[in-house]
């Protein structure tokens, strides 16, 4: 008896949220959160599978809007600032927790 196959298709899309007229625009966080919480972790998993010689296949569709935002220099710069702020916050939390639990 043939068990069949399962094919998961990951589709990624976000609305266009670039707003250069503002230094900070809350909706841009949607992109930065998606990058840090979904797309980069997925890439890490794929890299781990490759390093472990695990055969896998992936179907991933990216909307043109999302690809355009990935390639936008302003959004890339702002995403880097977002990530640096996350790192700074994490460092502060580690310091605070070491003081509280010391």
């Amino acid at each position: 008896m043939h068990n069949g196959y399962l094919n998961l298709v990951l589709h990624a899309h976000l609305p266009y949220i670039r707003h250069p007229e503002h230094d900070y625009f809350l909706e841009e966080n949607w992109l930065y959160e998606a990058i840090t919480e979904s797309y980069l972790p997925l890439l890490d998993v794929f890299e781990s599978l490759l390093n472990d010689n695990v055969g896998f296949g992936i179907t991933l569709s990216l909307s043109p809007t999302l690809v355009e935002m990935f390639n936008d220099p302003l959004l890339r710069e702002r995403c880097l600032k977002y990530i640096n702020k996350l790192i700074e916050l994490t460092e502060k939390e580690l310091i605070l927790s070491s003081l509280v639990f010391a």
Side-chain angles (χ1 to χ4, degrees):
M1 181 169 132
H2 190 271
N3 291 331
Y5 297 96
L6 173 66
N7 184 25
L8 299 176
V9 178
L10 304 176
H11 176 68
H13 169 74
L14 285 172
Y16 195 73
I17 45 79
R18 183 181 193 271
H19 292 279
E21 67 276 11
H22 301 285
D23 289 335
Y24 175 78
F25 199 78
L26 181 65
E27 282 77 11
E28 287 181 0
N29 285 351
W30 298 342
L31 174 64
Y32 314 143
E33 290 169 358
I35 289 170
T36 59
E37 297 173 19
S38 296
Y39 308 133
L40 290 177
L42 269 176
L43 289 175
D44 283 342
V45 168
F46 300 156
E47 186 174 32
S48 292
L49 291 170
L50 288 172
N51 289 338
D52 294 340
N53 294 318
V54 175
F56 74 98
I58 181 75
T59 301
L60 174 64
S61 69
L62 301 172
S63 70
T65 304
L66 184 58
V67 171
E68 182 64 28
M69 289 189 294
F70 284 162
N71 288 320
D72 185 282
L74 176 68
L75 292 175
R76 290 174 133 190
E77 178 184 326
R78 289 182 176 180
C79 185
L80 187 56
K81 287 179 184 177
Y82 175 86
I83 291 170
N84 285 329
K85 285 182 181 180
L86 287 178
I87 292 169
E88 182 182 328
L89 177 62
T90 302
E91 290 170 346
K92 288 178 180 178
E93 288 181 350
L94 287 171
I95 291 168
L96 181 62
S97 67
S98 69
L99 293 173
V100 170
F101 298 109

